[in-house]
Amino acid sequence: RAAARPAHPLNTRARKRQLALRPLPVLVVLGILVAGYQRRWMSDDGHIYVRTVRQILAGNGPVLNPGERAESSTGTLWQWFLVAAGLPGWDIATAAVYGGLLLTAAGFGLAALGCLRLYGTSRALPLGALVLLALPPVWDFATSGLETGLATCWLAAAWLLLSTAPAAPLTCVLLGLGPLVRPDLGIVSVVFLAAQWLMVRPGPRRTLAGLGAALAAPLAYEVFRAGYYGHLVPLPGVTKEASQSLWGRGFGYLGDLAGPYLLWLPALFILAALLRAPLLRTPPARTRLIPVLAPVVAGLLCWLYVIKVGGDFMHGRMLLPGLFLLLLPVFLVPATRPFALAATAVGVWALVCASWLRIPYEGRLGPAGIADERGVYVQQNADPHPVRHTFAGARGHAAYSALARTAKPPRLLLGPTAVAGAGPTVTGVHDVLGMNGTAVPLSGAALDTIGLSYPLAAHSEQLRGGRVGHDKHLPVEWILADRGTRELPPGADPSKVAAARRALNCPPLSDLRAASEAPLTLDRFVTNLTGSWARTGFRFPNDPVAAERVLCGS
């Protein structure tokens, strides 16, 4: 009878050990849920997504303003995730905040599961998870209304499939979605697809088939983007000059994250443990070694890109995906003695970091132009959890919001100044674009002089020494020439307005306007598509007189 009894794949003792593992991933997930919920908020940039989603649901297409095809949403999949949440009538801002939190928690859970599956151990300890759970920027951007939660979930899911099912067709599709999660995450797609090929070593036909599956969605959307919007990248990528090199600022941005939280301490503890106890006990077969190295390479490249372009104006935000990637292989580690010592040391640091270590500019703009974005909006809204921005604590913003809501069209609002507008609607110009888009009716136009929503401003020259991500400013004469009438506000130069009007009718400015404002026919789609490369790289002088001379030859 004993010989006839089928052997169970796990004996009782092994099964008990696996059952004992389950609370650890659950505790990690609960930890980020609690931390993120306590710091829940909505960033101003999150409200840019909200307005675009409202336009889609209203039937106006994926635009911020009706009649102007400008792509203000950087995260394509996040935008459509919010559209799906809005279809049954859910509040979009609330869905953005709590959807981001749930996706962040899912990412943490998938990362834990990936480590358990990769190392095949019945005893594990949190290590990289402790680092992430201790950092206030991770708490803040677990919500915020931005695409960070989706990015965390995608990174963990892609790594899990790369580690456990590299040959599956679904893995190819998932690995290729990086550019749609966020354009710079295309770096991760390239690294993970290369790692997948090294693990599977398929023949030429299977290689081409897998590559086609990975690139199908990103390439299809890129064709749509170039034909519909006339650009190769979202408009924020143009205005923030995503191809520039500002290494000094970038290293300052890295130091702004690593310095206040003493991140070098857990890094040393983890490296010391890895030197004494390698993660892979068996000889390093490529199917196990490559999944360990791939996220580290991808994370370093992501950090290199962020440093190259000068970082960002939000504390820590753009470095979080790279940090998550670097910690993925050690998110949970086998419970060996060296790793136990490292986990203890990191745990002490995590307690100190979570309790006391903070940036010196909490609640305000820092000296390098980097802001504690959540703290700023908590103060400006007089609300510990600002989801719908009223700016009750910021008089200038509150006054502008009231003006935008009550202005009768046709009006052109230039901050607190209102003049006659050229169109039949209200056009509001304010650099706090999310607030502007919330205040200006959907039928109106919410523009910014930085260029996140305004193609004309996005293609203007960059200002030297400006704040990262905010170093463009379109002079008011251009806006009056484009959106106003002959009525000019105090301080505007009539000669510059006239020069701007003439320049707007000269190519390539006339082509830039037609790409976003002309009716979308098949011919216009093809013209946008074929001219997208040159159009994306086009810039013109800020000074209208100089622009007229350069563009019109006068």
Side-chain angles (χ1 to χ4, degrees), residues 100-123:
L101 179 58
L102 291 175
L103 286 168
T104 301
F108 275 51
L110 292 172
L113 179 60
C115 288
L116 296 180
R117 295 287 299 274
L118 181 62
Y119 303 132
T121 179
S122 59
R123 301 170 61 198

Side-chain angles (χ1 to χ4, degrees), residues 15-61:
R15 278 186 290 166
K16 286 182 178 179
R17 286 178 176 177
Q18 284 205 350
L19 288 174
L21 287 175
R22 293 181 182 178
L24 184 55
V26 172
L27 288 175
V28 170
V29 170
L30 287 176
I32 190 59
L33 281 173
V34 171
Y37 180 78
Q38 289 180 340
R39 306 268 287 200
R40 63 193 183 278
W41 70 298
M42 184 77 163
S43 68
D44 186 78
D45 285 19
H47 279 287
I48 300 175
Y49 280 107
V50 171
R51 181 175 172 92
T52 302
V53 171
R54 291 171 62 208
Q55 295 286 14
I56 294 172
L57 296 175
N60 296 324

